[in-house]
Amino acid sequence: QVQLVESGGGVVQPGGSLRLSCAASGLASDYKIIGWFRQAPGKEREGVACIVDADGSAYYSPSVRGRFTISRNNTKNMVTLQMDTLQPEDTAAYYCAVEVSGRPIVAAMHGKYDHWGQGTQVTVDT
C-alpha cells in the first residue's frame, strides 16, 4: 500500500510564503526519489523539486530555484517544501510523489513519478 499525504496549501499574496508537508508510508517510504510536482489548469505537469535518496542531493526546477527549498526528516518519511517569494505563476495543485522503480532524475523533473498523493492547492493572488 502506498500512502502520500500532503498538507499546507492555501491562499497567499504575491511575495508571501507557504510550507508544504508530505508524509510517506507503506511502499511509498521505500523510494529512490521523493519530490513535488505541480499542475495548473490547462498546463502540463511540472517537476518542482526532488531529493535523491542515495545521497540526499536536491534538484530544483529553474522556475523555483532560489525561492523554494526541499528537505526531509532524518527518518526520510517526511518531506517539506518551503516556498518563499511566491508569485501568481506558482498557482497550481502541488503533489508529493515518489519514484521507486529507478527512473533517472530527469523524469522526476518532468513530473513523472510512480506514485503521488491527492495534492494540495496553492493559490497566489492579491
Side-chain angles (χ1 to χ4, degrees):
Q1 185 177 4
V2 174
Q3 284 193 317
L4 293 159
V5 180
E6 305 100 334
S7 61
V11 180
V12 65
Q13 292 185 341
S17 298
L18 282 174
R19 185 178 180 92
L20 305 183
S21 295
C22 172
S25 61
L27 294 176
S29 62
D30 186 20
Y31 57 82
K32 293 179 173 57
I33 300 172
I34 188 166
W36 297 84
F37 68 86
R38 66 187 180 185
Q39 189 162 24
K43 294 188 177 181
E44 292 188 356
R45 187 182 292 188
E46 177 189 13
V48 175
C50 67
I51 292 177
V52 177
D53 181 56
D55 61 6
S57 55
Y59 295 82
Y60 297 91
S61 165
S63 62
V64 308
R65 189 176 295 122
R67 300 187 298 121
F68 291 11
T69 304
I70 189 171
S71 61
R72 64 178 177 176
N73 65 351
N74 289 336
T75 56
K76 304 180 182 180
N77 63 348
M78 181 75 73
V79 65
T80 61
L81 185 69
Q82 177 66 38
M83 305 185 295
D84 298 318
T85 320
L86 283 160
Q87 301 301 319
E89 52 266 32
D90 296 316
T91 296
Y94 284 70
Y95 298 84
C96 176
V98 294
E99 168 65 32
V100 300
S101 59
R103 284 182 293 186
I105 296 168
V106 65
M109 295 313 297
H110 281 83
K112 296 179 180 179
Y113 288 86
D114 291 321
H115 308 286
W116 52 91
Q118 293 297 311
T120 185
Q121 179 66 34
V122 171
T123 301
V124 185
D125 193 4
T126 55

